[in-house]
Amino acid sequence: MSQIKRDIKSLLKSSIIVKPLEVIKGFFVLKFLTPEMYGFLNIINQISSFAKYGDLGFISVVEREYNYEVIKDKNKAEYIKNIAYSSELLLAVCLSILVFLVSFFYIDNMVIFIGIISASLMLFISKINRLYSTHLRINKEFNRFAKYNTLNGTLISLSIISTVSFIGIYAPLIVGVFASLIVIVIMFKKINLNFTFLLEKEEVLRQLKVGVTLGGLTFVYGLGIYLERFIIVKDFGLEGVGFFAFGMFIVMFFQYFMYDLVRPYMPTTKEALANNNKEILKQNVAYPTVKLVLFVIPFIYLLQFIIPYLITNFFEQYVGALEIFRLLSFLLMAISISTFSGYLLYSQGINKTHHAYISHFIYIFIILLCLIVKFESLEELVYLFVIGAFLKSFYQAYFVLNEVYNGFYLSLVLGLIFGGILWLI
């Protein structure tokens, strides 16, 4: 068995343990929270997601350059890592303090006050977790990465499951934060980041220049998510956000499995591109994409039977989310199309970052159109979200796969698939 297959096996084992627990946790949270409260919790979670969306791209620089540069000059690769890790730590502190200070504007509402403080703490913890996770991935220690993912996911899920029936929304807001903190302490003791705190003006500015470009991608991705929630809460209230978040909860559950499949390919693919071996794109991008798409198509239709049964029998308060879920389930197809290719647009050796931006702006443009259209139902709005996600995914896949396949035939095949999917939806 190849190393990549062994790494995929480790990651899938972790997900097989963690993801069902997260589903159970999600079911408990859904059971004890109203759609309005679940919608509020989803908005609070988006604040803590500044750990991903509100950065300057220092970690993205490491992910982009380390495995590429280590083939050419290990000392340079380590130097880049030291600067990036140091800068990311400072950014984590600043962002967390900023969000914490915002909480004092809502001190008269205890739930919102505690929610924002929780988000500030989780933001900091998430950024530290991202440092350790990145370190394990770039060093191809996917087995250890999987073990800590398992520990983190299991501890958070069990702590919330055991407390949500007693303290309601405070379980994910408070208990989940403490569980994450315990895991960070364990990682601190067990994992040697092997970096020296270092800030040198020239390299920091260079990384900022590259990182803002890369970090900008996560920012525009996050902007799309925030705009989604803004439009939904404006037109359909917190209940609408709760229904939408319910559908996305199920989609994201399966999306993480897809990411487990692609992660072990990423360092190897980048190292091959450093040797100017673009043929690796067939083996590590094109073929896995086709296999994943062929698997996801029947799986989506299987979900159309399973999820409605669960909702109608166990979560009657979310029956209003059934049609929304049906539409959102097709996002799994969009995700499968670009999972193995999207990250390469901003990788060295491909260097098509501008196309990555264009793909996100296509989606944001469609969302902005939704601001000027009056929708009769949330389903109509979600339908446009799904179309935008497909356009984004096809755009990303095209400009990567075009490196090894003829553009005309590639466009024809992707166009036929896209047309067929729209017809099915």
Side-chain angles (χ1 to χ4, degrees), residues 32 54 62 137 145 147 151 160 216 221 232 275 398 401:
F32 291 101
V62 175
R137 290 200 303 270
F145 174 75
K147 287 179 180 178
L151 176 62
I160 293 175
Y221 174 76
I232 294 172
N275 292 319
Y398 173 80
L401 295 176

Side-chain angles (χ1 to χ4, degrees), residues 226-356:
Y226 294 131
L227 284 173
E228 288 171 355
R229 271 60 176 185
F230 172 76
I231 294 171
I232 294 172
V233 78
K234 178 177 71 72
D235 292 339
F236 302 100
L238 281 176
E239 182 181 64
V241 177
F243 288 156
F244 181 78
F246 174 85
M248 288 303 298
F249 164 71
I250 298 171
V251 171
M252 295 297 290
F253 170 78
F254 294 106
Q255 181 178 342
Y256 286 126
F257 281 100
M258 297 185 194
Y259 288 166
D260 286 343
L261 296 176
V262 73
R263 281 190 182 107
Y265 284 97
M266 294 169 70
T268 303
T269 304
K270 291 175 182 179
E271 289 171 3
L273 291 175
N275 292 319
N276 200 32
N277 177 17
K278 290 191 177 181
E279 283 297 305
I280 196 72
L281 297 180
K282 290 182 180 179
Q283 180 181 338
N284 286 6
V285 179
Y287 301 153
T289 296
V290 172
K291 292 177 183 177
L292 186 58
V293 169
L294 291 176
F295 172 80
V296 165
I297 292 173
F299 183 72
I300 290 173
Y301 285 97
L302 180 62
L303 288 178
Q304 306 299 319
F305 295 97
I306 295 174
I307 301 302
Y309 172 81
L310 292 174
I311 293 176
T312 54
N313 287 278
F314 299 101
F315 303 98
E316 295 179 0
Q317 69 268 41
Y318 287 91
V319 168
L322 276 172
E323 183 62 21
I324 294 167
F325 164 74
R326 189 189 77 80
L327 292 169
L328 289 175
S329 65
F330 286 95
L331 287 178
L332 292 173
M333 174 66 75
I335 294 164
S336 69
I337 290 167
S338 60
T339 293
F340 284 91
S341 56
Y343 75 95
L344 284 169
L345 285 174
Y346 51 86
S347 295
Q348 288 173 293
I350 298 292
N351 295 316
K352 294 184 181 293
T353 306
H354 61 289
H355 286 306

Side-chain angles (χ1 to χ4, degrees), residues 164-183:
V164 69
S165 62
F166 302 105
I167 58 176
I169 195 171
Y170 293 109
L173 290 181
I174 299 175
V175 179
V177 172
F178 281 106
S180 298
L181 184 59
I182 291 171
V183 176

